[in-house]
């Protein structure tokens, strides 16, 4: 076999190769264990002794150049898409294809962290409770009677009871944590409880079957409505800016008396001011304190519950709550 012919034919063949399969066939044909180079090296025995040295040198040179050409081709093919039609190779990579991009906290979590910090400065620590609750903590101890419409099966996620015992449900409000905390600790109690709550609402731009609330509770001797309003006002100013306007509207919640809803004045897209409700609040109903063994003659308290998604959507101009939960990384990495 003529070695220089072998090199020549390999070069011709290699330059015409377009697919990884053809490249692999090339490798097998020339560089494989039974390939042409191996065959050429087996032939050395038939070469006259005085020509063997030159033959061997030529063969080694051929091996080197064919291997190098093969490696070079392999590299080139790895960096060029197999099919170029319709692909813009100058387009920047998509971020979700980049395995090393550092993550960010979800904007809901960022907001909860910020609120935790803020209420922390007012002396509130963070409390936690289960998302899988019983009716005592979600309703009864919160002074919500059995026939109250909020307890209707169609308005709650009750769990199928397989083993008997008290019915269980996904908590519909973080107010359940008020009870969890008061059962375990004596006043003074000053906590916030951020977390998920669940209601079987039909999902649309402003409703979701799961959302987040941030509950607040302060029980001590001599707590009054002034403390409540001051606390909410301080929060609103720290969070939305010192010039923010708040208002309290009389309302009703079974676990507070008196109760109020609090609004913040925002400027809408059309430049018009609009009151936006941020949550409910009130003075802890004496029945709630009694339910957890705290003497309402000695102690009083206030409570409030904020809707976290509302705050996030307001602040960032998000029009559709579903954007927060669809986990599209292009949306989430904006925050
Ligand atoms: N739990 C109420 C709700 O989900 C919100 C709320 C209202 C919480 C008044 C409170 C409160 O702590 O005092 O609608």
């Amino acid at each position: 076999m003529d070695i220089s012919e072998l090199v020549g034919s390999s070069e011709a063949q290699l330059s015409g190769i377009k697919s990884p399969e053809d490249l692999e066939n090339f490798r097998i044909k020339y560089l494989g264990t039974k390939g042409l180079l191996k065959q050429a090296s087996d032939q050395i025995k038939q070469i006259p002794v005085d020509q063997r040295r030159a033959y061997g040198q030529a063969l080694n040179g051929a091996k080197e150049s064919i291997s190098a050409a093969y490696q070079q081709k392999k590299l080139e093919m790895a960096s060029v898409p197999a099919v170029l039609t319709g692909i813009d190779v100058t387009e920047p990579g998509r971020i979700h294809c980049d395995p090393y991009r550092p993550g960010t906290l979800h904007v809901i979590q960022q907001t909860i962290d910020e609120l935790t910090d803020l209420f922390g400065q007012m002396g509130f620590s963070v409390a936690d409770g289960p998302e899988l609750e019983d009716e005592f903590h979600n309703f009864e101890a919160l002074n919500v009677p059995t026939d109250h419409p909020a307890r209707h099966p169609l308005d709650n996620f009750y769990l199928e009871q397989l083993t008997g015992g008290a019915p269980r449900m996904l908590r519909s409000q973080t107010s359940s944590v008020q009870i969890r905390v008061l059962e375990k600790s004596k006043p003074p109690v000053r906590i916030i409880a951020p977390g998920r709550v669940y209601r079987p609402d039909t999902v649309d731009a402003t409703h979701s079957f799961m959302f987040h609330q941030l509950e607040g509770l302060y029980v001590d001797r001599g707590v009054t409505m002034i403390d409540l309003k001051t606390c909410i006002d301080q929060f609103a100013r720290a969070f939305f800016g010192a010039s923010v306007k708040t208002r309290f509207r009389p309302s009703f919640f079974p676990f507070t008396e008196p109760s109020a809803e609090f609004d913040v004045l925002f400027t809408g897209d059309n430049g018009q001011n609009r009151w936006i409700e941020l949550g409910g609040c009130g003075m802890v109903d004496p029945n709630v304190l009694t339910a957890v063994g705290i003497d309402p003659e000695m102690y009083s308290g206030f409570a409030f519950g904020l809707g976290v998604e509302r705050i996030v959507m307001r602040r960032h101009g998000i029009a559709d709550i579903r954007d927060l939960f669809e986990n599209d990384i292009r949306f989430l990495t904006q925050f």
Side-chain angles (χ1 to χ4, degrees):
M1 189 181 303
D2 187 305
I3 304 276
S4 61
E5 245 176 52
L6 186 67
V7 174
S9 76
S10 78
E11 282 168 355
Q13 202 178 331
L14 198 60
S15 67
I17 283 177
K18 297 239 161 23
S19 73
E21 294 77 35
D22 289 349
L23 186 63
E24 177 60 3
N25 288 334
F26 172 90
R27 188 191 64 77
I28 294 166
K29 178 174 171 188
Y30 287 92
L31 301 162
T33 46
K34 294 181 186 144
L36 293 172
L37 281 167
K38 177 68 171 59
Q39 290 170 26
S41 110
D42 289 344
Q43 278 174 7
I44 200 156
K45 288 173 234 120
Q46 285 129 48
I47 303 288
V49 177
D50 59 338
Q51 292 168 30
R52 277 191 194 166
R53 191 183 156 86
Y55 184 86
Q57 280 174 348
L59 188 60
N60 282 340
K63 267 188 206 163
E64 267 172 38
S65 76
I66 295 175
S67 300
Y70 162 78
Q71 290 298 345
Q72 177 65 28
K73 183 81 181 178
K74 197 171 163 188
L75 272 179
E76 283 167 15
M77 286 181 57
S79 58
V80 176
V83 183
L84 279 172
T85 6
I87 295 178
D88 178 1
V89 290
T90 62
E91 185 186 315
R94 302 213 181 137
I95 50 172
H96 53 270
C97 295
D98 178 354
Y100 301 113
R101 191 184 171 84
T104 56
L105 287 176
H106 194 286
V107 63
I108 296 278
Q109 188 59 48
Q110 286 178 33
T111 308
I112 288 175
D113 289 350
E114 196 179 331
L115 291 169
T116 302
D117 228 44
L118 203 155
F119 281 106
Q121 289 174 39
M122 290 195 262
F124 288 82
S125 55
V126 177
D128 200 5
E131 289 176 26
L132 187 55
E133 258 302 0
D134 51 46
E135 292 185 289
F136 177 76
H137 292 91
N138 198 82
F139 292 131
E140 249 148 70
L142 286 162
N143 203 32
V144 185
T146 317
D147 56 356
H148 193 282
R151 294 179 66 158
H152 197 278
L154 289 179
D155 290 326
N156 294 281
F157 287 113
Y158 284 100
L159 270 73
E160 199 179 342
Q161 275 180 281
L162 297 177
T163 53
R168 295 213 284 172
M169 59 184 298
L170 297 179
R171 70 179 177 196
S172 63
Q173 49 182 356
T174 46
S175 305
S176 56
V177 186
Q178 291 188 31
I179 305 302
R180 294 265 165 205
V181 169
L182 291 176
E183 279 174 332
K184 280 189 310 212
S185 32
K186 293 259 153 296
V189 164
R190 193 168 359 191
I191 58 100
I192 54 163
R196 294 190 183 97
V197 299
Y198 302 84
R199 293 178 197 175
D201 286 335
T202 305
V203 176
D204 64 19
T206 52
H207 293 86
S208 167
F209 52 84
M210 184 282 296
F211 56 98
H212 296 74
Q213 290 185 330
L214 187 135
E215 193 80 12
L217 174 70
Y218 177 33
V219 178
D220 201 352
R221 286 174 199 265
V223 178
T224 71
M225 192 111 185
I226 295 174
D227 299 308
L228 167 61
K229 291 187 75 172
T230 307
C231 177
I232 298 287
D233 271 345
Q234 291 296 330
F235 141 71
R237 281 191 206 146
F239 196 79
F240 295 108
S243 58
V244 80
K245 287 204 165 45
T246 54
R247 106 182 152 178
F248 291 76
R249 278 177 295 111
S251 184
F252 174 80
F253 297 101
F255 35 89
T256 43
E257 183 57 39
S259 305
E261 276 161 314
F262 54 95
D263 306 337
V264 170
L265 190 64
F266 286 107
T267 312
D269 294 336
N270 55 4
Q272 301 248 309
N273 285 342
R274 215 154 70 90
W275 289 104
I276 302 289
E277 182 197 324
L278 291 188
C281 61
M283 301 307 293
V284 179
D285 194 292
N287 288 346
V288 174
L289 296 175
T290 309
V292 290
I294 293 173
D295 182 358
E297 296 295 327
M298 200 181 292
Y299 293 103
S300 60
F302 69 70
F304 60 87
L306 297 171
V308 178
E309 278 75 4
R310 269 195 171 203
I311 294 182
V312 169
M313 290 168 74
R314 262 290 121 202
R315 198 187 219 190
H316 297 287
I318 299 167
D320 195 321
I321 195 171
R322 289 167 289 199
D323 287 337
L324 292 168
F325 304 123
E326 276 171 358
N327 278 346
D328 185 333
I329 208 150
R330 292 167 301 179
F331 172 81
L332 294 175
T333 48
Q334 293 176 90
F335 307 103

